[in-house]
Structure formats: C-alpha cells, structure tokens
Amino acid sequence: MLLTPGRAGPASRLARSSMSRTRALLGSVRPPRRSDAAHARRRFRAWRGRRPFWAGLFTLGAGLPIVYFPYVTLSLSGIPLALSTTAGAGALLTGTLLVVLGLTMWFRPQQRVFAGITALLLSLVSFPVANFGGLFLGLFSGLIGGSLACAWAAPAESAGGTDTPRDVPSPSGGRPVAGESS
C-alpha cells in the first residue's frame, strides 16, 4: 500500500474512530475549573438564603455532644471520668431528635417554627437527661438553634421587583396611622 498525504489507510481510520469514541466518553469528565467552584458556591449561597441554615446547623451540632458524651470515657489528667448514666437511652433519643430537627430546618423550612420550638424543649430536657445537656455544649447550641429557627423569616418573593413599600397598603385601609408618613 502506498502512503500518500491526505489519504488514510484502514488502520489509521480505525485508530481515529476509536480515539473519537474515547474522547466522546471522556469528554464529559473534565477537570473542574475555577468558574465551576464559583458557580457551586453561588448555588450553595442561594440555597442557604432560602432556609434557616444557621438554625439548622446549631441544632444539628447540639445533638452531637448530647449523643457523644454519655457513651465515651473521658480522661482528666490521667483519671478516667465516665459520664455513663442510666439515662443513656434518653440521651441517645434526645440527641438523635435534635439532629433530625436540624435536618428538618434545612430541608423543610416551612416547618421551622415547629422544629424550633421542639429543639428548644429538647435542649432544655437534655439538661437533666443527658449529662448537663452534653456538658452545656448541646444545651446552649440547641437553645441558639431553636431560637434562630423561631425568629427566621423567609425572604420576600417579589414578582419582577415590582413590590415596593409604597405599593403595599397600610393596615388601616389607606388612612394614615399615627407615626406613619404618607
């Protein structure tokens, strides 16, 4: 077979077709670029803004020490300190419920008030049940997370940015209220 420029033999055509198939398969797998990381960060920031993220994080973090401390033996200057009590099952239940409530705040923001009040009550219950609320770490984190969940308000949805404070009628039916300027 005579090789001429511009004409490919059967072996080179086969090699090119297998390379193109390999490129097609691997073409979708490319190394991440900086713009991908920036896009992921923007998407996470938008996701975080539509839910009580910090309330869920504090509540989730409250459950972990409550579950952890009753089942671990700590050492204080070489002296073993066992915090195991008869309320180990109560600590496990309380901590697990706080973790579930933290996840509920993230993935079901409509249930934030229920989850916040329940987190507050479970955090207070963890004080006598789970070794001072996980050595106060779980107690205070749960109180902060529950409070943040109850106080969080969903961002206002505007239809094309047309909602301004002037477009919203006053609660008095249009009449000026004392202290309200028109």
Side-chain angles (χ1 to χ4, degrees):
M1 173 173 179
L2 182 62
L3 294 175
T4 58
R7 289 202 63 148
S12 64
R13 269 187 249 137
L14 180 64
R16 272 194 301 230
S17 66
S18 67
M19 282 178 32
S20 64
R21 272 185 267 147
T22 305
R23 271 195 214 121
L25 290 173
L26 295 177
S28 61
V29 180
R30 60 178 173 75
R33 293 183 293 194
R34 288 179 59 114
S35 63
D36 293 342
H39 179 68
R41 190 177 63 240
R42 280 192 300 271
R43 282 184 36 220
F44 175 70
R45 191 174 292 163
W47 178 83
R48 188 182 67 193
R50 292 188 305 262
R51 57 199 22 83
F53 177 77
W54 292 108
L57 188 66
F58 273 104
T59 305
L60 185 89
L64 299 177
I66 290 174
V67 169
Y68 178 73
F69 286 123
Y71 295 103
V72 70
T73 302
L74 300 174
S75 178
L76 184 65
S77 299
I79 301 169
L81 177 66
L83 295 175
S84 298
T85 62
T86 57
L92 181 65
L93 182 67
T94 304
T96 303
L97 284 174
L98 282 170
V99 169
V100 168
L101 287 170
L103 293 172
T104 301
M105 291 176 198
W106 282 351
F107 297 111
R108 298 297 240 166
Q110 308 89 316
Q111 304 293 327
R112 71 185 179 279
V113 175
F114 166 75
I117 292 171
T118 308
L120 286 169
L121 293 174
L122 282 172
S123 297
L124 290 173
V125 165
S126 75
F127 182 73
V129 169
N131 298 321
F132 301 114
L135 297 179
F136 296 106
L137 293 172
L139 174 72
F140 290 135
S141 294
L143 291 176
I144 291 170
S147 299
L148 285 173
C150 290
W152 185 79
E157 296 290 330
S158 62
T162 58
D163 291 340
T164 61
R166 290 185 209 135
D167 295 340
V168 178
S170 67
S172 63
R175 295 183 309 274
V177 179
E180 180 181 301
S181 61
S182 53

